[in-house]
Amino acid sequence: MFKQKVKGSYLKSFLALFLAIMLVAGLGAGCDFQGDQNGEEVEEASPSEEREEEKEPVVVKLEGRDAGFPNPFTHYPRMRGTVMKKVFDSLLEPDEEKCIPWLVKNWDISEDGRTHVIDLQEGVKWHDGEEMTARDVVFSFEYYQEHPPVFIGEVLTQPDYIESMEATSDYQVEIITSEPNSTFYCEAGMLRIIPEHIWEGVEDPYEFTEPESTIGCGPFVLTDYSKEHNTYRYEAFDDYWGPKQRVDTIEYVPVSDEILALEKGDISITRISPDLVSRFEGDPQFQLEESPAFAGTMISFNMNENEIFQDKRFRQAVTYALDKDEIIEKVLRGAAKPGSPGILPIDHQYYNPGLPEYGHDPDKALEILEELNLDGEDLSFELLLAEGPELRAGELIKEQLGRVGIDLEVVAADRRSRDARANEGKYEMAILAMGAWGLDPDYVRIRYHSGLGEDVGGSATAVLGRNQGYENPQLDQLLEEQLREQDREKRQDIIFEIQEVLAEEVPEVPLYNNYYYYSFRPEEYDGWTFMFDHAVMEHAKLSYLERN
């Protein structure tokens, strides 16, 4: 079991004990605490000060699960690294709308998009009391080039993309890149900064789990971790440079049933299924919040396996034949939004609301299929999917497509096997369910650009079953343009156009983007929020900090 004390906690305990002893001694000697030993009057504490001293510490308890040792190299990808991000800060952090400056005061990008001048916050302290400077930032980037952490953006893994990087002063860094890249700002900004004085001598960071490996400059200090019991404990860092912590202690505790644990007060928040909404909706002690719809499920066509999938008219016919609302209601009990034909979900910051509609229209689907002159063609296909909710969705899709003469053989596999077959291209049609649809829209390039190889980096959204034979030179050009464009508004225009092309081409059919319900007691704690690209409230660092 890992244990680490918060800086200053020993001193506080000593002072508290000392004052208690003095109080007892004073009462025993009959001393008057309205004045000092010379008889001079001492100002009494105001009622507000007394209330402040009596204020109970805020403790938030979360459902415990092992997410690995919480430093940038040893945590697991699950939970989006939240167990590590509480301890380590980055140049930028996500709020509800975008990446916002964090350890950065100012970030200037030259007109050609290649030179980045980054001014840092001053007075930032590591948990061991040392000051963070620009040297730590440069060291972090260089160390990550040699030893990639669990999370690192695709552009940062490209050899020689960063041509030079130097600390031009204690609080300024200059980075020059080989070419402009619109994803560099957030991907570089989200790297966790690590202290040079601790990591410079570490040759194998993937085995480094000493207590000092969790010294960061974030708002919380790790004070306890047990892999065996799936528990973590964090305490607020007294000398944190940034927004004041609204929470004194965060604990991850093991529970057998998270719903019962929430009702009993053993945990502070949990995700609930749609069928349990009514259980909490009528209870005034609980508040319900609906997350953005950033998890998604789509139908993928393997165009390498069957030439008929290469005709966009066939893909459009499939789209018209589908009743997404029926699937959402029967599979997810309504807790989802219909997938956009432009791929980016409705809740995405770059979503184009002006796309053409593909409503449920079997007659339109039959009309298109007749135009294709498919008499004698075999319209029987294998539909690969994972066991669980996808199987119910697959059964409905089989029924819906059967009404327009398309016959599906549903093949269910465990999720790992399904994913392996999808990535190897061993399917005709497949249902693919993935998270992270709220990430930077460059994942559309990673998914659909015809010139990218199989071993491309990026999110799971982009990689799972990516681009099985789809090619479109117009789309390729637009995807490259958005990557180079540094101006946010101009880039948005390009991304809107990309969605229009995808909606016309339907290389894949997004069925739905599901959302989640969260329940918590607002009287106990009400600071919960989401990140613009991630829909889990307890994962957001800003959920635990004061907001302007």
Side-chain angles (χ1 to χ4, degrees):
M1 179 177 289
F2 172 94
K3 291 185 179 293
Q4 180 174 315
K5 291 294 183 182
V6 183
K7 180 189 174 187
S9 60
Y10 289 121
L11 178 60
K12 288 180 179 178
S13 300
F14 173 79
L15 288 175
L17 179 62
F18 175 78
L19 289 173
I21 293 171
M22 291 300 294
L23 178 60
V24 172
L27 290 173
C31 294
D32 182 2
F33 278 83
Q34 300 301 310
D36 68 7
Q37 291 180 349
N38 295 321
E40 296 177 0
E41 185 174 349
V42 176
E43 185 177 349
E44 296 183 59
S46 68
S48 62
E49 288 174 338
E50 290 177 356
R51 284 195 300 271
E52 182 68 22
E53 291 175 0
E54 295 170 1
K55 181 181 176 182
E56 289 291 326
V58 178
V59 179
V60 166
K61 294 185 178 182
L62 307 175
E63 180 187 356
R65 62 189 70 177
D66 182 32
F69 193 79
N71 74 46
F73 302 94
T74 54
H75 70 91
Y76 305 150
R78 72 178 61 148
M79 296 165 61
R80 290 287 293 275
T82 181
V83 295
M84 174 270 298
K85 293 176 182 178
K86 291 179 175 65
V87 175
F88 293 90
D89 269 357
S90 48
L91 300 177
L92 310 174
E93 285 286 346
D95 69 2
E96 300 88 343
E97 298 180 356
K98 59 183 182 298
C99 296
I100 61 172
W102 204 250
L103 288 174
V104 166
K105 285 197 301 187
N106 190 55
W107 188 319
D108 282 330
I109 305 175
S110 62
E111 283 191 21
D112 65 3
R114 295 181 55 229
T115 302
H116 300 253
V117 177
I118 301 169
D119 295 311
L120 302 173
Q121 302 282 356
E122 299 179 19
V124 177
K125 295 288 184 66
W126 297 108
H127 295 158
D128 61 2
E130 297 289 327
E131 184 181 15
M132 188 209 77
T133 69
R135 285 180 52 86
D136 294 298
V137 175
V138 173
F139 170 81
S140 299
F141 275 72
E142 292 177 345
Y143 194 81
Y144 289 151
Q145 288 288 317
E146 186 175 353
H147 309 285
V150 176
F151 289 137
I152 186 168
E154 181 217 356
V155 65
L156 298 170
T157 64
Q158 296 175 5
D160 304 321
Y161 178 76
I162 295 178
E163 290 188 345
S164 68
M165 183 174 188
E166 65 173 326
T168 54
S169 74
D170 284 346
Y171 307 108
Q172 187 179 84
V173 174
E174 181 181 84
I175 303 174
I176 299 178
T177 63
S178 59
E179 59 184 1
N181 186 306
S182 60
T183 69
F184 180 75
Y185 175 73
C186 271
E187 289 192 359
M190 291 297 187
L191 282 182
R192 303 292 131 176
I193 306 304
I194 55 177
E196 180 181 20
H197 66 279
I198 288 175
W199 291 87
E200 61 184 340
V202 178
E203 296 181 0
D204 185 359
Y206 310 106
E207 298 295 329
F208 184 43
T209 56
E210 298 302 316
E212 59 265 31
S213 72
T214 62
I215 289 177
C217 59
F220 295 94
V221 175
L222 179 73
T223 58
D224 185 72
Y225 163 63
S226 170
K227 179 180 179 64
E228 178 185 2
H229 298 103
N230 298 336
T231 59
Y232 297 81
R233 180 182 174 86
Y234 303 85
E235 295 185 20
F237 177 43
D238 290 341
D239 291 334
Y240 185 54
W241 67 272
K244 183 175 176 57
Q245 303 93 330
R246 291 188 63 185
V247 172
D248 298 289
T249 303
I250 302 171
E251 295 180 351
Y252 288 81
V253 297
V255 298
S256 55
D257 185 317
E258 61 271 21
I259 302 301
L260 292 177
L262 176 69
E263 291 178 326
K264 290 167 58 180
D266 294 336
I267 57 176
S268 304
I269 187 171
T270 195
R271 189 169 80 187
I272 63 172
S273 57
D275 58 314
L276 292 176
V277 168
S278 59
R279 180 167 166 177
F280 292 92
E281 209 167 24
D283 192 331
Q285 66 179 317
F286 292 103
Q287 181 172 323
L288 290 175
E289 290 288 344
E290 181 183 302
S291 77
F294 285 156
T297 298
M298 64 170 64
I299 295 178
S300 179
F301 304 98
N302 188 342
M303 301 176 198
N304 292 322
E305 285 291 308
N306 198 314
E307 289 185 2
I308 197 171
F309 298 149
Q310 296 177 12
D311 194 322
K312 73 176 181 182
R313 294 173 296 173
F314 180 82
R315 304 192 299 266
Q316 290 171 343
V318 170
T319 308
Y320 279 117
L322 293 169
D323 187 344
K324 296 180 181 179
D325 291 334
E326 181 186 27
I327 296 170
I328 290 170
E329 188 57 40
K330 292 184 176 179
V331 176
L332 298 167
R333 301 181 183 180
K337 300 178 181 180
S340 166
I343 304 299
L344 299 186
I346 293 172
D347 288 340
H348 197 285
Q349 58 175 328
Y350 283 101
Y351 168 69
N352 181 350
L355 299 177
E357 295 288 337
Y358 284 89
H360 176 49
D361 192 342
D363 292 336
K364 180 69 173 177
L366 285 168
E367 179 185 328
I368 294 173
L369 291 173
E370 287 175 8
E371 290 174 359
L372 287 174
N373 236 345
L374 295 173
D375 291 342
E377 291 280 349
D378 182 10
L379 297 184
S380 298
F381 311 103
E382 179 184 280
L383 179 66
L384 174 68
L385 48 79
E387 297 166 343
E390 290 177 31
L391 181 56
R392 178 59 178 143
E395 292 168 347
L396 290 170
I397 292 168
K398 177 180 173 67
E399 292 177 13
Q400 294 170 3
L401 294 189
R403 297 179 192 130
V404 298
I406 298 174
D407 180 48
L408 297 181
E409 177 190 356
V410 175
V411 177
D414 64 83
R415 184 171 294 275
R416 180 175 295 180
S417 299
R418 189 280 311 272
D419 290 354
R421 284 188 59 181
N423 285 327
E424 293 169 5
K426 295 180 178 179
Y427 68 92
E428 284 188 293
M429 295 173 63
I431 295 180
L432 304 179
M434 299 163 285
W437 288 47
L439 293 175
D440 185 280
D442 188 56
Y443 70 73
V444 175
R445 175 186 64 88
I446 298 171
R447 186 160 194 84
Y448 298 110
H449 194 291
S450 62
L452 294 180
E454 293 298 323
D455 297 327
V456 67
S459 70
T461 307
V463 174
L464 182 59
R466 67 165 298 275
N467 194 1
Q468 300 296 334
Y470 176 69
E471 294 185 11
N472 185 318
Q474 178 194 6
L475 182 63
D476 286 350
Q477 181 177 345
L478 290 170
L479 292 171
E480 293 165 8
E481 288 178 6
Q482 66 81 27
L483 186 64
R484 293 190 298 267
E485 183 54 64
Q486 301 294 309
D487 183 275
R488 182 181 173 87
E489 291 185 5
K490 292 179 180 178
R491 186 181 184 225
Q492 177 174 287
D493 290 341
I494 300 170
I495 292 168
F496 272 33
E497 189 175 352
I498 287 170
Q499 292 173 77
E500 291 167 5
V501 174
L502 289 169
E504 170 69 19
E505 291 281 303
V506 284
E508 293 177 301
V509 184
L511 294 171
Y512 52 79
N513 294 97
N514 51 293
Y515 52 81
Y516 307 110
Y517 295 102
Y518 285 86
S519 179
F520 59 90
R521 288 184 176 83
E523 289 190 5
E524 177 184 325
Y525 187 70
D526 65 351
W528 306 108
T529 188
F530 296 105
M531 295 176 276
F532 76 89
D533 62 347
H534 187 52
V536 182
M537 300 186 89
E538 63 265 35
H539 290 182
K541 181 179 287 188
L542 298 187
S543 283
Y544 308 97
L545 305 176
E546 289 186 352
R547 305 292 297 275
N548 293 331

